[in-house]
Amino acid sequence: MKKRISLILGSGGARGLAHIGVIKALEQHNFEICSISGCSIGALIGGIYAAGKLPEFEKWILEIDKYDIVSLLDLAWGNNGLVKGDKIINTLKKMVGDITIAELPISYTAVASDILNGKEVWLNSGSLFDAIRASISLPLFFTPIETNNRILIDGGVLNPVPIAPTFNDDSDYKIAVNLGSEKATPPEPIEKVETHDDASPISRFIDSLRFDKEEKEVNKLGAYEVADKAFDAMQSHLAAAKLAAYPPDVLVEISRNACGTLEFDKAAEMIALGYSSCIKALKNNYLLIE
């Protein structure tokens, strides 16, 4: 009999591609995912999985490079975010379908942050991609979402590993994925040949946040680099506090320095890291014996 689990998928930018590997490991080892709670990239990967389109998404993300990603980023030309996010969401809608959360075969909650009231918002009804878009609204990068007199931004601002939405689930285990761990080690880099030349502001911004560049001196960090590092550090400490207060049955840990926030061209490494990290966590908790 399959073990039924509630899966909690944390925030952490491109590191969240490790969620794909985690899900693959669980499915291949007799676990049934009956509920998903996610924020930011966790809400995105979790929603696509719940819609049954994760294999298509994995194939797509493995084929794109940094410059394909740049082409999907539509400049907002405003003062509350660099990117509108319409191109990304519309691309995903074509892949998955413009469906509602009620149509999903498993329980799903995307977590966002209401910055006017300082509260978590659990999005578990309505349009799937409206919920995802609100949850992935990384401050300074994506423009916020305004709805019902609320301004919603990335769920990781208040709760990077949102376990609370799963408290009443009828499942055997709660398995959480923390993308801000200080314990794990980053994967071995895979060299890639890049042949494009793009000097757009977004391209330069992505380059500035790449993990495989040499560390810069503190006084040479740009404003976005400082904000990115500050947000990562904040999420890491907040996740540790949340997990200490509400520990899951199994914790899969991905190092916060595994890759840069926008290094989605490292999909293969992150998926492999998620798979191996999940197997390790399952064995450490005696839920998998091989």
Side-chain angles (χ1 to χ4, degrees):
M1 181 180 295
K2 289 187 175 182
K3 306 175 188 72
R4 289 168 50 84
I5 65 166
S6 298
L7 184 60
I8 300 97
L9 301 177
S11 64
R15 294 190 299 278
L17 296 177
H19 293 324
I20 298 174
V22 170
I23 290 170
K24 291 173 72 171
L26 292 171
E27 288 197 317
Q28 290 176 15
H29 291 86
N30 207 36
F31 291 89
E32 177 187 353
I33 300 170
C34 63
S35 167
I36 289 179
S37 172
C39 67
S40 198
I41 186 67
L44 190 153
I45 299 294
I48 291 173
Y49 169 75
K53 296 293 184 179
L54 193 60
E56 290 86 345
F57 177 81
E58 181 183 5
K59 182 177 184 296
W60 174 73
I61 200 69
L62 286 170
E63 291 175 350
I64 64 176
D65 60 22
K66 182 187 72 171
Y67 299 95
D68 294 320
I69 295 166
V70 169
S71 72
L72 291 172
L73 301 180
D74 40 2
L75 284 172
W77 302 111
N79 58 8
N80 63 354
L82 187 65
V83 174
K84 290 187 292 185
D86 294 343
K87 283 187 178 181
I88 292 175
I89 294 299
N90 289 334
T91 297
L92 295 174
K93 281 182 180 179
K94 289 178 182 178
M95 183 187 307
V96 176
D98 189 6
I99 63 177
T100 65
I101 294 174
E103 294 176 83
L104 299 176
I106 64 175
S107 174
Y108 170 84
T109 302
V111 177
S113 301
D114 176 356
I115 57 173
L116 292 182
N117 298 303
K119 296 180 179 179
E120 285 182 41
V121 176
W122 296 0
L123 304 169
N124 49 26
S125 63
S127 165
L128 172 63
F129 281 102
D130 283 354
I132 289 172
R133 176 60 183 86
S135 187
I136 67 171
S137 298
L138 180 69
L140 294 182
F141 189 70
F142 282 115
T143 56
I145 296 299
E146 297 185 33
T147 179
N148 298 325
N149 296 317
R150 300 180 300 192
I151 298 180
L152 303 182
I153 62 171
D154 195 305
V157 169
L158 294 178
N159 194 349
V161 191
I163 193 170
T166 69
F167 282 169
N168 294 322
D169 286 353
D170 179 22
S171 57
D172 299 314
Y173 302 100
K174 289 178 173 55
I175 298 180
V177 185
N178 176 22
L179 302 176
S181 174
E182 301 285 358
K183 297 180 180 179
T185 55
E188 291 296 323
I190 297 176
E191 290 188 8
K192 294 186 178 182
V193 177
E194 296 177 347
T195 59
H196 301 72
D197 182 19
D198 190 328
S200 72
I202 295 178
S203 180
R204 292 195 300 270
F205 175 54
I206 290 176
D207 273 338
S208 75
L209 300 180
R210 293 182 66 83
F211 170 73
D212 56 7
K213 284 183 173 291
E214 293 183 2
E215 286 293 324
K216 297 181 179 181
E217 296 177 20
V218 173
N219 62 1
K220 292 184 180 180
L221 291 176
Y224 280 109
E225 292 170 281
V226 171
D228 178 66
K229 289 180 180 295
F231 190 60
D232 249 5
M234 178 198 75
Q235 285 193 107
S236 179
H237 287 278
L238 186 54
K242 293 284 187 180
L243 290 167
Y246 306 108
D249 298 299
V250 177
L251 178 61
V252 180
E253 298 190 272
I254 305 295
S255 173
R256 83 180 203 194
N257 69 342
C259 78
T261 302
L262 299 176
E263 287 190 285
F264 287 93
D265 52 319
K266 286 193 171 183
E269 296 97 319
M270 290 300 101
I271 293 170
L273 179 61
Y275 188 96
S276 61
S277 299
C278 183
I279 295 297
K280 178 181 178 181
L282 292 173
K283 289 181 177 179
N284 287 345
N285 287 274
Y286 306 103
L287 293 183
L288 180 62
I289 300 174
E290 292 184 333

